[in-house]
Amino acid sequence: MGATLRAVRALVLLAGFYLLGFVMLGALVAVDWAVAEGGVGSVTAKVWIVSALLAIPLVQGMFALRTPKDEPLPGLPVTEQQEPALWAAVRALAEQTGTRAPDEILLTPDVNAAVAEDATFLGLKPGRRRMYIGLPLMTGLSEPQLQAVLAHEFGHYTNHDTRLAAITLRGRLQVMRTVAGLHERSRRKVAKEEAKQGKKHAERLAKGKKASEVDAGAAGLSYRLAAKPFLWYGTFYLRASQGVGRRQELAADLAAARIAGRDATASALREIPVLDAAHGFYMQSYATLGTAAGLLPPPGEVFGGLRHLLAGRADELDEMRRALPEEEQSPYDSHPPIDERIARIEQLPHDDNALTGARPALALLTDPARSFAELEHSALTPEAQRLRRAADWPQLVNESMLWHADQDAEPLRAAGTEVHGGDGSLAAFLDAVDAGRLWEMADRLPKSKEAQAATGRATREFVRPQVRARLSRMVVAELARLGRAHWELSWKDAARLRLPDGYEEELKQALDAAVADVPDTKGLRRLLSQTD
């Protein structure tokens, strides 16, 4: 489907929304006229009021022509003087695809590349172009793979997808705005009715009378019914517009294969889901590990540290590349399944573009370390930027894990202070245990439903594992402060607790003794008093 036909289709879909709105308004006018002809004054007034209330959100949705502008993606703008190699590569791709180069390039903290255009007149007039390139994406791709990704994005420019998207977006926003307005009025009616009934029921209870449950009944029903036609149209609108979107993606894939080569395009498509999963895991398990403790990775490593994970888990990531994710196709998906896209590309004739020996995509940047550091200033929130920076990754991991150990032990510390007093230290807790207060303290810990229902000795058996686990964390934290334990950074596995030789078995036995039916803290005290 050519750009002109797609523009006509998008305009027809948008016009359908307004047509539906005028039909709805016409129906309301017809009902008002019919009731007025009946001649019952009180009924006529009520129907007119309801019609007016229904018409307000309809008109607001239909004629709120100024759509809110999209929030700009967080990113680091780079000029041609700052990144000449990157700009040269982007301009070369624009020339090969036969389209205008972007006016701006922004580096982002995502595993993504995207293009946007500030088109006007519902996208019919071209505007300023921006290209977004994720630094984490560049971290995991080779230069030919990145070229394939960017050529795909330029394919959207060539097909006028970025311009015509404005028309489709307008229709989606108008449908959602109208439905949201009707449902909001419905919620207000329901809340008002529930508040009214709740007040009456409270008065009945105050008089010692029985009160039934609050039931809003049919309150707000007319608004919900009025929203249904727009929901139906919105469903149709999404199916129609997303179908076009899927075809646009396939066309952009072909443009990428023509420019960057079949193998580079197929391998990039395989790489992106793997890289996206690795990036998500890295951000959750490494980059933000210390945020609760008020700690961030060293400068430039919040996003740049991903390269350590990719190197450390190369074998695991290779397995993920070989096993493509299974995706269930939905009629509302804007992209075809990744395996379908790869299969289409791999069916193309072989070309002479080779991947072996290709440079990493980050080689296109003048100074990648500087770019990662500067991106943090653009992408991190002011609150995050005020956090303390670790000197290196080992310090980040050790201090963060120590903080988490203290948090895990805190309920036990609080229980010890509440039952036996003291300063909340491990020594004070052990004193409370020696005083025979262990199970009193254990009784103040959070309990599962099974533990709450248990009685007698069964209660102790339910709570004993929790007491032991929290006491273990308290002891380990104390050993870390004494310099006899630390958590070791690993890019292949979770952080590992390191204890001196012989401590692990001794600690296990000492903890078992401390939470026995007749507690004995001698083993723990001996362990804590040892010197290297």
Side-chain angles (χ1 to χ4, degrees), residues 291 294 296 302 373-389:
T291 52
L296 274 184
V302 174
E374 292 179 351
L375 179 61
E376 292 177 359
H377 294 291
S378 300
L380 294 180
T381 64
E383 294 77 15
Q385 293 187 46
R386 286 194 290 269
L387 297 180
R388 182 167 59 93
R389 294 300 188 120

Short mmCIF file of all heavy atoms in Angstrom, two decimals, residues 291 294 296 302 373-389:
data_model
loop_
_atom_site.label_atom_id
_atom_site.label_comp_id
_atom_site.label_asym_id
_atom_site.label_seq_id
_atom_site.Cartn_x
_atom_site.Cartn_y
_atom_site.Cartn_z
N THR A 291 20.63 1.28 45.11
CA THR A 291 19.87 2.54 45.22
C THR A 291 19.15 2.65 46.57
O THR A 291 19.07 3.75 47.13
CB THR A 291 18.85 2.65 44.07
OG1 THR A 291 18.06 1.44 44.01
CG2 THR A 291 19.55 2.86 42.75
N GLY A 294 21.31 4.03 48.97
CA GLY A 294 21.82 5.35 48.63
C GLY A 294 23.10 5.32 47.84
O GLY A 294 23.92 6.23 47.94
N LEU A 296 25.10 4.40 43.96
CA LEU A 296 25.05 4.15 42.52
C LEU A 296 26.41 3.63 42.05
O LEU A 296 27.43 3.85 42.71
CB LEU A 296 24.73 5.43 41.75
CG LEU A 296 23.25 5.81 41.55
CD1 LEU A 296 23.17 7.05 40.67
CD2 LEU A 296 22.44 4.69 40.95
N VAL A 302 26.45 3.30 35.18
CA VAL A 302 25.03 3.01 35.36
C VAL A 302 24.47 2.33 34.11
O VAL A 302 23.78 1.31 34.18
CB VAL A 302 24.23 4.30 35.67
CG1 VAL A 302 22.73 4.00 35.72
CG2 VAL A 302 24.69 4.89 36.99
N ALA A 373 28.96 8.50 30.57
CA ALA A 373 28.92 9.40 31.73
C ALA A 373 27.99 10.58 31.48
O ALA A 373 27.21 10.97 32.36
CB ALA A 373 30.33 9.88 32.06
N GLU A 374 28.06 11.17 30.30
CA GLU A 374 27.20 12.33 29.99
C GLU A 374 25.74 11.92 29.88
O GLU A 374 24.85 12.71 30.22
CB GLU A 374 27.68 12.99 28.70
CG GLU A 374 29.04 13.67 28.82
CD GLU A 374 29.50 14.30 27.52
OE1 GLU A 374 28.84 14.06 26.48
OE2 GLU A 374 30.51 15.03 27.54
N LEU A 375 25.48 10.70 29.41
CA LEU A 375 24.10 10.24 29.32
C LEU A 375 23.44 10.17 30.69
O LEU A 375 22.23 10.43 30.82
CB LEU A 375 24.05 8.85 28.65
CG LEU A 375 22.66 8.21 28.51
CD1 LEU A 375 21.76 9.08 27.64
CD2 LEU A 375 22.78 6.82 27.93
N GLU A 376 24.22 9.85 31.72
CA GLU A 376 23.66 9.78 33.06
C GLU A 376 23.08 11.13 33.49
O GLU A 376 22.04 11.19 34.15
CB GLU A 376 24.72 9.33 34.06
CG GLU A 376 25.15 7.89 33.86
CD GLU A 376 26.26 7.46 34.79
OE1 GLU A 376 26.71 8.30 35.61
OE2 GLU A 376 26.67 6.30 34.72
N HIS A 377 23.74 12.21 33.10
CA HIS A 377 23.25 13.54 33.46
C HIS A 377 21.93 13.85 32.75
O HIS A 377 21.10 14.61 33.28
CB HIS A 377 24.29 14.61 33.10
CG HIS A 377 25.55 14.51 33.92
ND1 HIS A 377 25.59 14.79 35.26
CD2 HIS A 377 26.81 14.14 33.57
CE1 HIS A 377 26.82 14.62 35.71
NE2 HIS A 377 27.58 14.21 34.70
N SER A 378 21.72 13.26 31.57
CA SER A 378 20.48 13.51 30.82
C SER A 378 19.35 12.58 31.24
O SER A 378 18.19 12.97 31.23
CB SER A 378 20.73 13.34 29.32
OG SER A 378 21.71 14.23 28.85
N ALA A 379 19.70 11.32 31.58
CA ALA A 379 18.67 10.30 31.77
C ALA A 379 18.29 10.06 33.23
O ALA A 379 17.15 9.66 33.51
CB ALA A 379 19.13 8.99 31.14
N LEU A 380 19.22 10.24 34.15
CA LEU A 380 18.92 9.96 35.56
C LEU A 380 18.10 11.10 36.17
O LEU A 380 18.28 12.27 35.83
CB LEU A 380 20.20 9.78 36.36
CG LEU A 380 21.06 8.56 36.01
CD1 LEU A 380 22.30 8.52 36.89
CD2 LEU A 380 20.27 7.27 36.15
N THR A 381 17.22 10.75 37.08
CA THR A 381 16.43 11.76 37.78
C THR A 381 17.34 12.57 38.70
O THR A 381 18.42 12.10 39.10
CB THR A 381 15.32 11.10 38.62
OG1 THR A 381 15.94 10.29 39.65
CG2 THR A 381 14.44 10.22 37.75
N PRO A 382 16.92 13.77 39.08
CA PRO A 382 17.73 14.55 40.03
C PRO A 382 17.98 13.80 41.33
O PRO A 382 19.07 13.90 41.91
CB PRO A 382 16.88 15.81 40.26
CG PRO A 382 16.05 15.94 39.01
CD PRO A 382 15.76 14.53 38.58
N GLU A 383 16.98 13.02 41.78
CA GLU A 383 17.15 12.26 43.02
C GLU A 383 18.26 11.22 42.86
O GLU A 383 19.08 11.02 43.76
CB GLU A 383 15.84 11.57 43.41
CG GLU A 383 14.71 12.52 43.79
CD GLU A 383 14.04 13.17 42.60
OE1 GLU A 383 14.26 12.69 41.47
OE2 GLU A 383 13.31 14.16 42.80
N ALA A 384 18.26 10.53 41.72
CA ALA A 384 19.28 9.51 41.48
C ALA A 384 20.67 10.14 41.37
O ALA A 384 21.66 9.59 41.87
CB ALA A 384 18.96 8.74 40.20
N GLN A 385 20.76 11.31 40.76
CA GLN A 385 22.07 11.95 40.58
C GLN A 385 22.66 12.41 41.91
O GLN A 385 23.87 12.60 42.02
CB GLN A 385 21.94 13.12 39.62
CG GLN A 385 21.62 12.71 38.19
CD GLN A 385 21.67 13.86 37.21
OE1 GLN A 385 22.61 14.66 37.24
NE2 GLN A 385 20.68 13.96 36.34
N ARG A 386 21.81 12.57 42.93
CA ARG A 386 22.32 12.99 44.23
C ARG A 386 22.85 11.82 45.07
O ARG A 386 23.44 12.03 46.13
CB ARG A 386 21.21 13.72 45.01
CG ARG A 386 20.94 15.13 44.49
CD ARG A 386 20.11 15.92 45.47
NE ARG A 386 18.74 15.43 45.55
CZ ARG A 386 17.74 15.88 44.79
NH1 ARG A 386 17.98 16.83 43.88
NH2 ARG A 386 16.53 15.40 44.92
N LEU A 387 22.64 10.59 44.61
CA LEU A 387 23.12 9.43 45.36
C LEU A 387 24.65 9.37 45.35
O LEU A 387 25.30 9.85 44.42
CB LEU A 387 22.55 8.15 44.78
CG LEU A 387 21.03 7.97 44.84
CD1 LEU A 387 20.62 6.64 44.23
CD2 LEU A 387 20.52 8.08 46.28
N ARG A 388 25.19 8.75 46.37
CA ARG A 388 26.64 8.56 46.47
C ARG A 388 27.12 7.58 45.40
O ARG A 388 26.42 6.61 45.09
CB ARG A 388 26.99 8.05 47.87
CG ARG A 388 28.47 7.87 48.15
CD ARG A 388 28.69 7.66 49.66
NE ARG A 388 27.97 6.52 50.15
CZ ARG A 388 28.48 5.28 50.25
NH1 ARG A 388 29.73 5.05 49.86
NH2 ARG A 388 27.74 4.30 50.73
N ARG A 389 28.31 7.79 44.86
CA ARG A 389 28.87 6.90 43.84
C ARG A 389 29.88 5.96 44.48
O ARG A 389 30.75 6.38 45.25
CB ARG A 389 29.55 7.71 42.74
CG ARG A 389 28.61 8.57 41.91
CD ARG A 389 27.57 7.74 41.19
NE ARG A 389 26.79 8.54 40.26
CZ ARG A 389 26.73 8.32 38.96
NH1 ARG A 389 27.39 7.29 38.43
NH2 ARG A 389 26.00 9.09 38.17
#
